[in-house]
Amino acid sequence: QGGNALQRVRDDSFTLGQLWSAIADDRIVNHYQPQYDFTTGRTVAVEALVRVVDEDGQLLFPDRFIVEAEQSGMIVPLGRTVIRQACRDLAGWRRQGLTLDRVAINLSAHQLKVDSLLVSYIEKMLDVHGLDFSDLEFELTERQALDHDGPGIDTLNTLAAQGARLALDDFGIGYSSVHYLSALDIRTVKLDRSMVSRLPEDRTTMGVTRQLLAMAEELDLEVVAEGVESEGALRLLAGAGSEEAQGYFLSKPVPPKE
């Protein structure tokens, strides 16, 4: 079944030529999902989520093109486009009076390995739009693998040293949590959406979630609950110690103007 699913993804994915055309024709767009502070109810941040507009005007999600982008090296121009647009949009929102603390950007492990000039590019975009490194948060998913002393870890640590925040996505599903927490200056962990979606009905998940929140507090990590889809889950997480939340119950990802 897994093999069949993978084949369907491959059959349905963008070709390299289509992806290149989308980048060249400026058909890469960011949508943003708000992150809300439990204490104040304020939108404190947004997560940038990349989309491609195909030649027919249809919006395509990352599962259609990310694998091809990574395998071909197109993840470099694609990732830089996401960063450029995120910096532009954050600066624009602030000019309109929106008091967002930061924008979160996902970095793939392959992107970190192959884009040796990533830090200097980010610095350039910050200069262009009058922003600081502290205005950005970079997310790394647990499911990705970076060598403990490889260039990806070095890049992330450089970004952190410049003042950017580092966040560990998919927290709580195993894989490489301990590795990343020891190798990187992680400031934020994001509870995995597959866990959050089972709250508050699943008692086992409730217990695990409370333990993860207690561990995060012990390690002085901020916690964002990702994938909040019900009021019950929102109330449980707020009472258990999660600082921030995002998910469809609060807001779906929306275009910059929204």
Side-chain angles (χ1 to χ4, degrees):
Q1 289 179 340
N4 291 338
L6 179 59
Q7 186 60 49
R8 285 196 297 273
V9 169
R10 287 173 174 168
D11 292 343
D12 203 30
S13 62
F14 249 22
T15 65
L16 179 58
Q18 288 173 311
L19 183 58
W20 175 255
S21 295
I23 295 174
D25 296 342
D26 199 25
R27 288 187 280 110
I28 307 299
V29 298
N30 287 352
H31 283 197
Y32 298 91
Q33 189 168 37
Q35 296 176 354
Y36 295 91
D37 183 281
F38 275 117
T39 302
T40 64
R42 186 172 72 88
T43 302
V44 292
V46 293
E47 179 181 358
L49 300 165
V50 65
R51 309 287 188 251
V52 167
V53 180
D54 70 13
E55 294 178 346
D56 297 322
Q58 298 298 309
L59 203 64
L60 304 182
F61 291 79
D63 60 351
R64 294 284 301 276
F65 54 83
I66 285 294
V67 172
E68 179 64 38
E70 291 188 332
Q71 291 178 346
S72 65
M74 294 292 289
I75 192 65
V76 173
L78 179 66
R80 290 187 176 194
T81 300
V82 171
I83 292 166
R84 181 177 69 251
Q85 291 186 10
C87 291
R88 177 200 65 195
D89 291 336
L90 180 59
W93 293 324
R94 286 181 173 175
R95 286 194 297 271
Q96 296 174 47
L98 299 179
T99 55
L100 289 173
D101 295 345
R102 62 190 182 277
V103 60
I105 300 169
N106 292 279
L107 295 178
S108 82
H110 192 74
Q111 178 185 4
L112 288 165
K113 291 177 182 177
V114 301
D115 191 354
S116 61
L117 298 177
L118 180 61
V119 175
S120 60
Y121 180 80
I122 292 169
E123 187 170 20
K124 177 182 177 181
M125 289 300 101
L126 293 173
D127 288 342
V128 167
H129 295 287
L131 300 173
D132 298 318
F133 276 97
S134 59
D135 294 317
L136 303 181
E137 180 174 78
F138 295 100
E139 294 187 10
L140 180 70
T141 177
E142 272 196 356
R143 293 187 177 93
Q144 300 181 76
L146 284 173
D147 296 334
H148 189 82
D149 57 353
I153 294 289
D154 291 341
T155 297
L156 289 169
N157 279 326
T158 298
L159 290 170
Q162 296 281 1
R165 296 167 62 104
L166 300 184
L168 183 61
D169 205 358
D170 301 333
F171 186 66
I173 56 172
Y175 295 90
S176 46
S177 291
V178 175
H179 163 65
Y180 289 137
L181 290 175
S182 63
L184 295 167
D185 183 18
I186 300 290
R187 294 179 58 186
T188 304
V189 292
K190 302 187 73 175
L191 292 181
D192 180 62
R193 67 178 65 247
S194 67
M195 292 179 53
V196 174
S197 67
R198 295 196 292 270
L199 298 173
E201 291 80 7
D202 190 317
R203 293 181 61 84
T204 300
T205 302
M206 284 179 59
V208 172
T209 300
R210 291 184 188 278
Q211 290 179 355
L212 289 171
L213 289 169
M215 180 176 70
E217 182 179 8
E218 182 70 21
L219 296 173
D220 196 26
L221 298 169
E222 294 187 13
V223 179
V224 178
E226 192 172 29
V228 176
E229 297 181 359
S230 71
E231 184 176 357
L234 188 68
R235 290 183 181 278
L236 184 147
L237 290 160
S242 178
E243 286 91 353
E244 298 174 14
Q246 71 180 92
Y248 273 50
F249 179 75
L250 297 162
S251 173
K252 66 179 182 179
V254 295
K257 289 183 179 180
E258 292 186 37

